[in-house]
Amino acid sequence: MKQVSSEDNFIFLLVALLTLLFTVAVVEQFFQGGQLLVVSAIILCLAFSILGVKRQAIYTKSWFGVLLTLFLVTYVISILTNLNLSLLTIALVIVFLMHYMISAFKQVLFTGQVGSNQIIGSICIYLMIGLVWSFVYLFLLESFNGGFSGLENQHWLDNLSSVIYYSFITLTTVGYGEITPTLPITRFFAYMQSLTGSFYLAILVASLVSTGLEQRKRKVN
């Protein structure tokens, strides 16, 4: 079996992300109360993916191990003691996803080469941006009641599927309107995500094209 390396890791990550996003919808459609397994699967998937590529990175392993442990501990404590640690749990997921996304971003833009793996990686980063903002919106929902119309006031895991949908609709600037921000702070994050999605595509495409042209010039010379 071919070992996953930095040369081909993004294809596995893309398949995992698409599978996880589809699983969120399936769980929401047919199974109640299964969103915790989806969140755990997202974290474990990303953790194993990056550890498989960076087997010698002790700092990276320790960092992801600490985040995963804190996530599990806070969730278990919230269940056993009825303490509301939702904000801490969501914040840990955000930090985890952002750290992984930054690592992927560096690999895509600073490897000095543009190939199929880098192109697939750019798609993975775009999907991860949507995931990060999904948990940002969940954090806002827990912090400000009534921050979004179209979302029920319930446990954050029960809103996961709806928030992921809203995040990607906002990221792509489609904006169907079923879910809308109603507070200044939630509106701020909504239009900032739209700007992030637009600038990401413009900057990434320009960077990949310029790097690709430089590669061709070197081959010709």
Side-chain angles (χ1 to χ4, degrees), residues 156-190:
W156 66 274
L157 283 171
D158 297 324
N159 277 322
L160 180 61
S161 178
S162 298
V163 170
I164 289 177
Y165 164 77
Y166 171 73
S167 176
F168 280 99
I169 291 300
T170 304
L171 182 66
T172 55
T173 67
V174 174
Y176 288 121
E178 303 98 324
I179 302 172
T180 55
T182 57
L183 298 176
I185 187 67
T186 54
R187 290 171 182 166
F188 167 79
F189 280 95

Side-chain angles (χ1 to χ4, degrees), residues 133 137 166 170 181 184 186-196:
W133 281 91
Y137 291 134
Y166 171 73
T170 304
T186 54
R187 290 171 182 166
F188 167 79
F189 280 95
Y191 67 70
M192 285 303 296
Q193 184 184 18
S194 297
L195 291 173
T196 300

Side-chain angles (χ1 to χ4, degrees), residues 3-215:
Q3 185 178 9
V4 180
S5 68
S6 59
E7 298 299 324
D8 57 8
N9 60 305
F10 282 124
I11 183 62
F12 298 97
L13 178 59
L14 178 61
V15 172
L17 287 172
L18 292 176
T19 302
L20 287 169
L21 291 174
F22 179 71
T23 303
V24 170
V26 171
V27 170
E28 177 74 13
Q29 184 71 37
F30 299 106
F31 306 99
Q32 296 296 325
Q35 299 294 3
L36 175 61
L37 295 177
V38 176
V39 176
S40 301
I42 291 173
I43 295 175
L44 289 173
C45 169
L46 298 180
F48 283 120
S49 177
I50 196 169
L51 293 181
V53 174
K54 298 184 177 180
R55 299 180 186 277
Q56 305 302 323
I58 303 300
Y59 169 76
T60 301
K61 291 182 178 181
S62 302
W63 173 246
F64 282 117
V66 169
L67 286 177
L68 181 60
T69 301
L70 287 176
F71 168 75
L72 294 175
V73 169
T74 54
Y75 191 81
V76 170
I77 290 176
S78 65
I79 294 176
L80 297 179
T81 64
N82 292 322
L83 292 176
N84 188 7
L85 298 178
S86 298
L87 290 177
L88 178 58
T89 303
I90 297 171
L92 288 171
V93 176
I94 293 172
V95 172
F96 182 92
L97 291 174
M98 288 190 66
H99 184 80
Y100 188 94
M101 185 175 64
I102 292 172
S103 298
F105 190 81
K106 290 179 179 178
Q107 185 176 333
V108 168
L109 290 184
F110 301 112
T111 55
Q113 294 182 347
V114 175
S116 59
N117 193 51
Q118 281 66 37
I119 294 174
I120 295 173
S122 66
I123 299 173
C124 293
I125 295 172
Y126 194 68
L127 294 176
M128 291 178 65
I129 291 174
L131 278 177
V132 169
W133 281 91
S134 300
F135 285 95
V136 170
Y137 291 134
L138 288 173
F139 189 90
L140 293 174
L141 277 171
E142 289 292 315
S143 303
F144 306 98
N145 292 327
F148 295 88
S149 65
L151 290 176
E152 299 180 10
N153 186 16
Q154 54 187 352
H155 192 273
W156 66 274
L157 283 171
D158 297 324
N159 277 322
L160 180 61
S161 178
S162 298
V163 170
I164 289 177
Y165 164 77
Y166 171 73
S167 176
F168 280 99
I169 291 300
T170 304
L171 182 66
T172 55
T173 67
V174 174
Y176 288 121
E178 303 98 324
I179 302 172
T180 55
T182 57
L183 298 176
I185 187 67
T186 54
R187 290 171 182 166
F188 167 79
F189 280 95
Y191 67 70
M192 285 303 296
Q193 184 184 18
S194 297
L195 291 173
T196 300
S198 300
F199 278 108
Y200 172 81
L201 291 177
I203 294 173
L204 183 73
V205 170
S207 299
L208 292 179
V209 168
S210 62
T211 304
L213 290 176
E214 289 181 3
Q215 286 181 206

